[in-house]
């Protein structure tokens, strides 16, 4: 976009000159939005700045808007802690494998339910949506996971929450509205089976939707700690978020090589800031690329309501 | 029907595993919830344990914590709803007025970003920023000569911290839905408003707001429906022994008696009570909304 169009107002047709009231109002709007921007940005900025400051400065509360006595000490400790590294690796595993399982099951559910000629579609869709309104609860679900022998295994984080209703509705809507029926009929005339049509025709055309639901599942999986908290005892299986909770919120020691207890205490403080940054960076790196898709998916889901 | 099944057997095969999933992890738990009416015994199992009727519910209702945790849950959700409902709408309406695309996109990108941060991290950030000695907030209040306070140690602050960190995290994300609704407004309406001499504020009031009303209603129903399902995760993480009098909610209580004390029957009764209220609220709001605005979820 050229600067000229931008000045004239983002490509909208040129308007009559703004009245005084409107210009006054617009100034208010900009002030409001700038405030919004700062309120969201400032805490993030403060965390990043603190993570690069010296342990002593952080512990003395001397850091405000700029790093004090710049250092990477916090990151060294964070990235050399075996707990954190294993949490990172576990989370990576849960996120990749869990998302693959979730997306596969969701498609397997959504495609048949999107077909008008599928007998029992309404009843089954109703049964799925109903689980959004009413749930057995924490303990009854725990008993099932226990009975399946999944307690304290990696399965507990991959299976019990594998399918979510919202992405399923999104996929059903997408299959029904974005894939023309004629394509399927053409496939049927050529003698392709339903599975073949799904694999060769429908899925290749569904890439944007698949990306959206994969992302939804991946974010939930990467950020979740509660399932791990109730289902896992063995800390070798802990996902990153649970490790982070233990260090950041319960103040458990993350290990480290500092000798004096004061130094150790200060380093533990600093480590928290670095850890927040380290664990958030992966999401923030992919965020600008996926935000657009994500917005689209949100809207696709919203249209159905 | 039989012909359809024979012809499309692959579809039925395909849908089987996810249906097994729903049966096992959603419907079996609903059936398991009968332990709320039984004296659950691990050895006897769910079905062989003896019935005790409403004993666990009575235990819960007569427990002194009952009133506290129900009102904590309710007040926390209500506060969260009231605070986090209008702000995304205001944000979207304001963004819609901005002409500079660069500014608009920057604000959107930044306010949207916290949605991707995990609850554990958001809570840790809140704890660090509010920390009395080293936090950002005490730095700011200290600048104005005010004494440092340990906010999380005071029960009265728990709700504010919970709600406003929630708003901080989700306002930008929630605004997207309204922005899309605003983008779909018929330009003819703006033209008409201009011809009638409306200023910007009047345009928002008479064109923008009515246009996004259906979206507003749907979002409102959904939020009221989850009023009792208030986020366990965050309340649990923000909880400490000092703020328990306001931070103990039904979900955290269920976790404690169920998982930590292994009183499965009581925990299930409490959870069931919560689910039932939730369902009633959702059905109620939907019915009211249908009568008042003509639109509901179903």
């Amino acid at each position: 976009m050229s600067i000229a169009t931008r000045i004239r107002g983002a490509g909208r047709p040129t308007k009559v000159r703004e009245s005084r009231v409107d210009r006054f109002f617009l100034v208010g709007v900009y002030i409001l939005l700038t405030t919004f921007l700062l309120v969201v940005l400032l805490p993030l900025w403060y965390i990043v700045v603190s993570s690069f400051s010296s342990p002593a400065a952080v512990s003395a509360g001397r850091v405000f808007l700029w790093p004090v006595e710049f250092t990477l000490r916090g990151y060294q400790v964070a990235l050399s802690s075996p707990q954190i590294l294993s949490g990172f690796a576990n989370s990576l595993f849960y996120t990749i494998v869990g998302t693959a399982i979730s997306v596969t099951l969701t498609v397997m559910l959504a495609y048949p339910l999107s077909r008008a000629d599928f007998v029992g579609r309404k009843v089954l869709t109703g049964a799925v949506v109903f689980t959004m309104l009413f749930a057995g609860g924490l303990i009854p679900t725990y008993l099932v996971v226990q009975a399946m022998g999944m307690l304290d295994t990696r399965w507990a984080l991959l299976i019990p929450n594998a399918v979510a209703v919202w992405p399923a509705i999104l996929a059903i809507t997408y299959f029904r509205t974005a894939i023309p029926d004629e394509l399927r009929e053409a496939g049927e005339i050529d003698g392709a089976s339903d599975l073949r049509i799904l694999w060769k025709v429908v899925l290749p055309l569904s890439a944007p939707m698949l990306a959206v639901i994969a992302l939804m599942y991946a974010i939930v999986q990467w950020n979740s700690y509660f399932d791990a908290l109730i289902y896992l005892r063995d800390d070798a299986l802990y996902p990153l978020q649970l490790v982070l909770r233990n260090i950041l919120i319960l103040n458990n020691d993350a290990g480290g090589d500092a000798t004096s207890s004061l130094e150790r205490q200060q380093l533990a403080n600093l480590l928290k800031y670095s850890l927040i940054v380290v664990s958030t960076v992966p999401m923030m790196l992919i965020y600008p690329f996926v935000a657009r898709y994500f917005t689209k998916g949100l809207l696709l889901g919203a249209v159905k309501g | 029907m039989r012909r359809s099944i024979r012809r499309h057997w692959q579809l039925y095969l395909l849908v089987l595993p996810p249906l097994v999933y729903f049966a096992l992890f959603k419907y079996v738990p609903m059936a398991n919830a009968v332990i709320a009416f039984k004296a659950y015994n691990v050895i006897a199992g769910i079905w062989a344990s003896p019935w005790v009727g409403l004993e666990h519910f009575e235990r819960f209702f007569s427990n002194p914590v009952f009133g506290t945790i129900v009102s904590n849950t309710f007040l926390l959700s209500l506060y969260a709803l009231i605070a986090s409902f209008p702000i995304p709408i205001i944000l979207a309406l304001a963004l819609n007025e901005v002409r500079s695309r660069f500014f608009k996109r920057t604000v959107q990108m930044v306010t949207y970003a916290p949605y991707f941060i995990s609850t554990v991290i958001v809570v840790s950030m809140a704890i660090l920023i509010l920390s009395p000695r080293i936090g950002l907030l005490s730095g700011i209040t200290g600048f104005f000569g005010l004494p440092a306070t340990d906010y999380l140690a005071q029960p009265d602050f728990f709700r504010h911290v919970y709600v406003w960190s929630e708003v901080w995290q989700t306002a930008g994300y929630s605004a997207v839905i309204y922005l899309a609704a605003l983008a779909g407004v018929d330009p003819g309406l703006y033209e008409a408003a201009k011809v009638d001499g409306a200023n910007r504020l009047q345009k928002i009031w008479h064109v923008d707001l009515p246009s996004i009303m259906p979206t507003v209603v749907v979002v409102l129903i959904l939020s009221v429906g989850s009023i009792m399902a208030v986020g366990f995760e965050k309340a649990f993480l923000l909880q400490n022994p000092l703020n328990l009098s306001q931070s103990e909610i039904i979900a955290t209580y269920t976790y404690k008696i169920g998982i930590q004390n292994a009183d499965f029957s009581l925990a299930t009764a409490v959870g069931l009570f919560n689910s039932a209220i939730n369902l009633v609220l959702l059905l109620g709001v939907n019915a009211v909304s249908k009568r008042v605005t003509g639109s509901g979820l179903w």
Side-chain angles (χ1 to χ4, degrees):
Chain A
M1 186 180 19
S2 78
I3 291 175
T5 35
R6 196 184 293 166
I7 290 170
R8 251 187 275 122
R12 283 195 205 171
T14 15
K15 295 206 172 160
V16 203
R17 205 181 316 136
E18 304 268 349
S19 74
R20 184 180 283 249
V21 183
D22 281 352
R23 252 183 296 167
F24 193 67
F25 180 70
L26 205 57
V27 171
V29 164
Y30 273 90
I31 293 175
L32 180 78
L33 288 175
T34 309
T35 313
F36 242 112
L37 186 74
L38 289 179
V39 166
V40 174
L41 205 54
L42 205 62
L44 295 171
W45 178 249
Y46 170 74
I47 298 284
V48 173
V49 165
S50 299
S51 75
F52 287 111
S53 301
S54 82
V58 167
S59 296
R62 284 192 284 125
V63 184
F64 186 47
L65 285 180
W66 216 245
V68 177
E69 298 154 33
F70 183 91
T71 172
L72 293 174
R73 194 87 171 80
Y75 288 94
Q76 277 172 3
V77 179
L79 294 175
S80 62
S81 153
Q83 281 177 64
I84 290 159
L85 292 179
S86 104
F88 221 99
N90 285 336
S91 276
L92 214 57
F93 171 81
Y94 294 131
T95 303
I96 292 170
V97 178
T99 303
I101 294 175
S102 294
V103 172
T104 309
L105 282 173
T106 305
V107 167
M108 288 166 77
L109 177 73
Y111 182 65
L113 293 188
S114 75
R115 291 268 302 255
D117 56 352
F118 184 83
V119 180
R121 171 175 62 103
K122 286 212 169 123
V123 179
L124 293 179
T125 311
V128 167
V129 171
F130 180 72
T131 63
M132 246 176 149
L133 306 181
F134 191 80
L138 176 72
I139 299 299
T141 310
Y142 179 88
L143 291 176
V144 173
V145 176
Q146 188 182 43
M148 308 268 304
M150 287 180 176
L151 284 189
D152 222 15
T153 69
R154 291 187 192 272
W155 296 110
L157 299 200
L158 299 174
I159 304 297
N161 281 314
V163 187
V165 177
W166 200 241
I169 293 177
L170 208 148
I172 293 174
T173 314
Y174 187 92
F175 287 141
R176 198 158 47 208
T177 55
I179 312 285
D181 256 356
E182 288 77 10
L183 276 178
R184 177 173 59 79
E185 281 155 16
E188 275 177 4
I189 290 167
D190 288 344
S193 66
D194 284 318
L195 273 182
R196 206 176 153 80
I197 291 170
L198 173 62
W199 189 247
K200 292 279 181 190
V201 179
V202 176
L203 285 184
L205 289 172
S206 308
M209 183 274 293
L210 293 175
V212 168
I213 63 171
L215 195 75
M216 286 176 159
Y217 282 121
I219 288 179
V220 171
Q221 187 68 259
W222 179 265
N223 286 340
S224 79
Y225 78 94
F226 182 52
D227 285 349
L229 179 69
I230 49 178
Y231 296 136
L232 299 182
R233 294 281 159 272
D234 181 1
D235 53 14
L237 303 178
Y238 282 1
L240 183 63
Q241 301 299 332
L242 195 57
V243 176
L244 290 177
R245 170 193 176 247
N246 293 341
I247 299 173
L248 294 174
I249 295 174
L250 302 184
N251 281 313
N252 288 351
D253 212 320
D257 51 2
T259 41
S260 82
S261 72
L262 174 69
E263 198 185 334
R264 206 179 170 81
Q265 184 52 48
Q266 291 184 341
L267 198 58
N269 265 336
L270 173 66
L271 175 69
K272 292 182 179 177
Y273 293 93
S274 316
L275 262 184
I276 290 178
V277 177
V278 167
S279 63
T280 310
V281 157
M283 280 293 138
M284 287 298 144
L285 281 184
I286 57 164
Y287 154 67
F289 301 100
V290 298
R292 210 157 34 96
Y293 275 122
F294 210 63
T295 310
K296 243 186 245 165
L298 192 69
L299 302 177
L300 204 58
V303 173
K304 179 73 179 53
Chain B
M1 174 176 171
R2 193 172 295 164
R3 243 190 60 204
S4 159
I5 293 180
R6 196 174 310 150
R7 218 174 114 199
H8 296 296
W9 61 272
Q10 290 183 329
L11 292 183
Y12 294 86
L13 203 66
L14 207 57
V15 87
L16 209 59
L19 288 184
V20 169
Y21 162 83
F22 274 96
L24 262 179
F25 293 101
K26 302 291 168 185
Y27 281 92
V28 173
M30 285 183 211
N32 279 356
V34 298
I35 64 170
F37 305 96
K38 292 186 162 212
Y40 177 67
N41 173 330
V42 187
I43 297 152
I46 294 167
W47 299 105
S49 295
W51 292 96
V52 293
L54 295 176
E55 191 193 296
H56 300 297
F57 289 90
E58 278 158 18
R59 255 167 84 205
F60 175 49
F61 296 147
S62 62
N63 189 322
V65 299
F66 169 72
T68 318
I69 66 171
V70 171
S71 76
N72 279 347
T73 308
F74 202 71
L75 288 174
L76 188 62
S77 326
L78 201 64
Y79 183 10
L81 178 69
I82 291 169
S84 62
F85 183 65
I87 288 176
I89 301 178
I90 295 170
L91 180 61
L93 289 173
L95 278 170
N96 199 42
E97 294 301 309
V98 168
R99 303 274 194 77
S100 153
R101 228 183 243 195
F102 172 75
F103 183 70
K104 185 175 172 174
R105 285 193 53 180
T106 310
V107 175
Q108 259 195 286
M109 283 293 265
V110 170
T111 52
Y112 194 33
Y115 179 74
F116 289 81
I117 300 175
S118 74
T119 314
V120 173
I121 295 298
V122 170
V123 170
S124 323
M125 283 176 64
I127 292 174
L128 286 172
I129 284 168
L130 298 176
S131 129
R133 217 161 36 81
I134 64 172
L136 176 65
L137 196 64
S138 71
I140 295 173
T141 53
F143 180 79
F144 292 105
L146 298 166
T149 323
D150 190 355
Y151 298 96
L152 285 167
Q154 296 186 359
D156 289 344
F157 275 98
F158 169 80
R159 277 179 203 142
H160 303 307
V161 175
Y162 180 97
V163 168
W164 293 103
S165 61
E166 191 82 2
V167 171
W168 179 83
Q169 189 176 15
T170 59
Y173 173 76
S174 314
V176 170
I177 236 169
Y178 299 115
L179 276 171
L182 285 169
V185 175
D186 177 7
L189 292 175
Y190 291 128
E191 296 296 323
K194 205 161 43 177
V195 171
D196 288 344
N199 64 29
R200 275 172 183 272
L201 198 58
Q202 288 166 326
K203 190 206 71 179
I204 291 180
W205 189 254
H206 294 290
V207 179
D208 287 349
L209 269 179
S211 305
I212 61 172
M213 232 357 127
T215 314
V216 171
V217 170
V218 169
V219 174
L220 189 63
I221 297 175
L222 285 174
S223 355
V224 172
S226 58
I227 206 164
M228 297 301 276
V230 56
F232 165 88
E233 304 211 339
K234 206 157 126 195
F236 185 66
L237 291 170
L238 274 171
Q239 222 170 47
N240 61 45
L242 297 171
N243 63 24
L244 218 51
S245 66
Q246 293 205 3
S247 65
E248 189 81 296
I249 58 175
I250 296 179
T252 54
Y253 185 70
T254 314
Y255 169 78
K256 281 173 197 163
I257 52 179
I259 301 287
Q260 292 180 346
N261 296 352
D263 191 340
F264 285 6
S265 288
L266 180 60
T268 306
V270 177
L272 217 51
F273 169 76
N274 197 33
S275 293
I277 294 187
N278 214 13
L279 188 63
V280 170
L281 275 176
L282 188 65
L283 296 176
V285 177
N286 196 53
V288 169
S289 148
K290 255 184 169 165
R291 187 161 297 174
V292 176
T293 68
S295 63
L297 284 184
W298 61 84

